[in-house]
């Protein structure tokens, strides 16, 4: 009861919430690793490292149903944090080969330890800050599914909801990232986006894709920003899985 009351009071002070999140991040090796990566020039998106196993079961189930009959589906988890997403994908599609990348070396080190402990040799973790880093070098034909979940967003946009996103995460960076993700997806493959502060439909790349229905997946809450970096009136979005034509 007390904890709930404190959380409710903090919601009235979004800047304080953002500061608390930043301090908490710096108090962990993973958070410090992400900050160090930024200082080295990595083009980071979501500054938080929060994740958990089976975070989007309905979403994973939709993808597993489409790829379940494929002999060895190839998956890419972009912004994999400490690896829970990749571990979850290995459970839904145990016959898949999974590449998982993150810009934070501390996250990747922890992810590798987890995969080794669980005996998940089908997952290959790498430290990289661009989604096409592995696709070009190791998977020239593209992936059957590329996951980018809660990556192309910034927590301060959620906390402050500024009229423009330019200073934190401009639409141009989102569009460039989506274009790089597209380079990883083979024809007929899937692109899965969730937790973005922008709408995929607003990008030029979206014309190459069609949306797949995702029953059981709740709409994502805003805020959302348009190609002009301005806050949109829309406060929910429900397009997450796309197939490349």
């Amino acid at each position: 009861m007390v904890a709930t009351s404190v959380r409710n009071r903090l919601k009235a002070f979004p800047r304080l919430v953002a500061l608390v999140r930043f301090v908490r991040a710096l108090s962990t090796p993973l958070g410090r690793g992400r900050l160090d990566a930024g200082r080295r020039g990595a083009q980071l998106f979501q500054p938080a490292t929060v994740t958990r196993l089976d975070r989007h079961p309905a979403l994973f189930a939709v993808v597993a149903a489409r790829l379940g009959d494929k002999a060895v589906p190839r998956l890419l988890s972009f912004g994999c944090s400490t690896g829970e997403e990749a571990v979850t994908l290995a459970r839904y599609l145990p016959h898949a080969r999974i590449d998982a990348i993150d810009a934070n070396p501390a996250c990747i080190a922890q992810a590798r330890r987890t995969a080794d402990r669980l005996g998940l040799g089908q997952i290959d973790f790498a430290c990289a800050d661009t989604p096409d880093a592995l696709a070009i070098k190791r998977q020239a034909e593209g992936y059957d599914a590329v996951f980018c979940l809660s990556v192309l967003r910034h927590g301060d946009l959620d906390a402050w909801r500024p009229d423009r996103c330019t200073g934190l995460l401009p639409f141009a960076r989102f569009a460039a990232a989506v274009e790089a993700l597209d380079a990883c997806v083979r024809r007929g493959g899937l692109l899965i986006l969730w937790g973005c502060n922008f709408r995929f439909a607003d990008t030029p790349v979206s014309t190459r894709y069609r949306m797949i229905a995702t029953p059981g997946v709740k709409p994502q809450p805003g805020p959302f920003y348009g190609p002009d970096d301005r806050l949109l009136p829309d406060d929910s979005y429900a397009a997450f899985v796309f197939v490349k034509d």
Side-chain angles (χ1 to χ4, degrees):
M1 181 73 71
V2 173
T4 301
S5 176
V6 171
R7 283 196 297 269
N8 290 337
R9 290 178 182 177
L10 283 176
K11 288 179 181 178
F13 303 95
R15 291 178 184 269
L16 178 58
V17 172
L19 177 60
V20 169
R21 288 173 177 168
F22 180 72
V23 171
R24 282 181 177 174
L26 293 185
S27 68
T28 67
L30 300 179
R32 290 193 295 272
R34 185 163 289 274
L35 180 62
D36 290 342
R39 287 171 175 166
R40 290 196 306 272
Q43 293 299 305
L44 301 179
F45 293 99
Q46 170 60 273
T49 56
V50 178
T51 186
R52 66 176 183 270
L53 290 170
D54 208 10
R55 197 173 187 181
H56 303 286
L59 195 59
F60 294 139
V62 168
V63 176
R66 291 188 64 93
L67 298 180
D69 293 336
K70 191 172 180 64
V72 185
R74 292 298 304 260
L75 314 179
L76 174 63
S77 171
F78 173 62
C80 67
S81 187
T82 47
E84 284 81 353
E85 180 180 301
V87 169
T88 299
L89 291 173
R91 293 176 177 175
Y92 276 85
L93 290 163
H95 57 303
R97 292 292 305 177
I98 303 167
D99 288 331
I101 64 176
D102 196 275
N104 187 337
C107 283
I108 292 299
Q110 180 170 322
R112 285 171 174 159
R113 289 193 295 269
T114 299
D116 290 344
R117 176 171 53 83
L118 296 175
L120 297 175
Q122 69 268 50
I123 307 176
D124 193 355
F125 292 99
C127 193
D129 55 19
T130 58
D132 56 356
L134 289 179
I136 291 175
K137 294 179 180 178
R138 303 173 51 192
Q139 188 64 13
E141 295 181 359
Y143 291 89
D144 296 293
V146 172
F147 293 81
C148 182
L149 310 182
S150 297
V151 176
L152 304 180
R153 66 182 301 112
H154 199 292
D156 288 350
L157 293 178
D158 297 330
W160 300 354
R161 300 179 71 94
D163 291 334
R164 289 178 177 270
C165 64
T166 310
L168 290 170
L169 179 57
F171 180 87
R173 282 197 63 204
F174 168 73
V178 167
E179 186 172 352
L181 289 168
D182 169 62
C184 304
V185 183
R186 69 167 182 81
R187 181 163 300 202
L190 304 174
L191 175 61
I192 303 94
L193 298 170
W194 196 95
C196 304
N197 285 128
F198 309 92
R199 302 178 303 189
F200 179 60
D202 292 333
T203 67
V205 169
S206 66
T207 59
R208 305 171 193 168
Y209 292 80
R210 54 186 170 83
M211 188 187 76
I212 294 176
T214 53
V217 182
K218 295 181 180 180
Q220 178 203 326
F224 300 100
Y225 293 83
D228 59 357
D229 287 356
R230 291 183 179 275
L231 181 66
L232 296 171
D234 307 38
D235 210 35
S236 68
Y237 188 59
F240 309 115
V241 182
F242 309 89
V243 60
K244 188 173 185 177
D245 291 327

